Amino acid sequence: MRLGINIDHVATIREARGGIEPDPVTAAHIAELAGAEAIVCHLREDRRHINDRDVRLLRETIKTRLDLEMAATEEIISIALEIIPELVTLVPERRQELTTESGLDLIGNKKTIHSAIQRFHKKDIAVSLFLDPVDEYIRLAHEIEADYIEIHTGEYANARTYPEAEEHLDRIRHVAELARSLDLGVNAGHGLNYTNIKPIAQIPEVEEVSIGHAVISRAVFTGLERAVRDMAELVQRYSQQNESIVPEN
Ligand code: PXP
């Protein structure tokens, strides 16, 4: 199973100040050095985190695979057709949402999604559909020639009891099998973390998991001590000096 790392949250922190750091492109390179086998980012219509520059630079500089999450809107489709990611993952998008809340409504948007898939296929771009674990959606994904499905694991991740989690897992396992039997590739993601990843990693049909929030959250804590030490050292060192701020040549 491959690990795809979603770097949107790094861009969210950058946008909190509207500056240039932290750069999600640097985050992608570090993720790759650490073993990520795909870099995932969501170019939203409102550009609230990842922007056009990020996607272009990621395309030029990452060494693994680029999985571009996007809504099937004309503007973003045109960008994706130009960028040519290894995988496009179509997701629903609502302006007010904090994160992608549910899978695609394939019944209501079958024509639009099918036409987007056909356009991507003309450029040899594989397409994944982010879907709730519902049989009908998986069959429709096959019918409209998707290459992959990404199973929405959010409800499993939010389950409050073991029996509830087990019920969601059964659904996920079932649709993973169904998708494979229809020759669809299977990815999974949303809400996966260090404690709930185990049973998902044990599903043989799942090729790739896409994880963002849990990894960036942990990075805050695993990296915080070092970051504070570095700054404390600078404050200590500089407070004992009285030099000009102009660098010497
Ligand atoms: N997969 C999809 C389609 C998503 O929209 C997201 C969130 O951006 C993820 C996976 C990753 O979810 P999380 O940040 O909870 O790990």
Side-chain angles (χ1 to χ4, degrees):
M1 186 177 294
R2 295 190 299 263
L3 170 64
I5 290 292
N6 180 310
I7 52 169
D8 294 350
H9 283 310
V10 178
T12 299
I13 301 174
R14 174 189 63 191
E15 295 310 310
R17 283 290 171 98
I20 59 166
E21 69 172 4
D23 190 336
V25 179
T26 309
H29 298 158
I30 293 172
E32 286 187 324
L33 281 174
E37 290 181 272
I39 298 300
V40 189
C41 67
H42 184 171
L43 185 65
R44 296 184 72 104
E45 280 189 282
D46 62 11
R47 311 296 200 272
R48 70 166 75 150
H49 41 53
I50 293 292
N51 61 34
D52 303 49
R53 166 267 186 202
D54 298 333
V55 177
R56 286 179 209 286
L57 272 183
L58 286 167
R59 171 68 298 171
E60 279 180 32
T61 61
I62 66 169
K63 294 162 199 72
T64 56
R65 295 153 46 83
L66 180 61
D67 173 359
L68 183 63
E69 285 180 13
M70 52 174 280
T73 62
E74 192 48 49
E75 187 209 3
I76 309 289
I77 290 175
S78 313
I79 294 171
L81 288 171
E82 211 188 296
I83 296 284
I84 318 212
E86 275 74 22
L87 184 69
V88 154
T89 298
L90 295 177
V91 301
E93 216 172 274
R94 286 181 208 97
R95 292 248 157 183
Q96 304 307 324
E97 68 191 359
L98 291 177
T99 179
T100 316
E101 283 164 357
S102 63
L104 286 164
D105 169 13
L106 260 199
I107 298 167
N109 298 293
K110 188 174 156 190
K111 258 191 163 173
T112 314
I113 306 282
H114 190 192
S115 129
I117 292 174
Q118 288 174 319
R119 290 172 71 188
F120 286 123
H121 281 175
K122 277 197 190 132
K123 288 251 183 177
D124 286 330
I125 300 171
V127 183
S128 179
L129 305 181
F130 186 53
L131 298 175
D132 292 330
V134 173
D135 291 18
E136 190 179 1
Y137 291 153
I138 311 303
R139 293 188 199 286
L140 276 174
H142 171 67
E143 193 185 314
I144 61 175
E145 299 166 282
D147 306 283
Y148 283 82
I149 55 150
E150 179 178 329
I151 304 172
H152 188 345
T153 51
E155 285 200 43
Y156 155 68
N158 289 334
R160 298 201 161 248
T161 62
Y162 282 114
E164 204 191 316
E166 201 51 51
E167 221 173 277
H168 289 298
L169 274 174
D170 282 345
R171 282 256 94 238
I172 292 169
R173 292 186 191 110
H174 167 76
V175 295
E177 268 183 43
L178 173 63
R180 275 311 302 146
S181 75
L182 295 169
D183 225 16
L184 286 159
V186 181
N187 297 335
H190 214 284
L192 297 178
N193 61 32
Y194 294 83
T195 50
N196 65 21
I197 185 66
K198 187 174 172 184
I200 298 293
Q202 289 171 339
I203 301 174
E205 290 84 7
V206 176
E207 277 179 44
E208 186 168 305
V209 284
S210 165
I211 308 183
H213 187 81
V215 170
I216 304 304
S217 300
R218 180 170 284 219
V220 171
F221 291 132
T222 54
L224 186 60
E225 183 184 346
R226 168 69 191 270
V228 173
R229 277 184 202 288
D230 289 350
M231 185 56 81
E233 193 187 309
L234 286 182
V235 169
Q236 194 58 32
R237 187 189 324 156
Y238 294 146
S239 63
Q240 288 160 12
Q241 295 173 0
N242 190 17
E243 288 165 4
S244 156
I245 59 163
V246 180
E248 287 167 24
N249 52 14

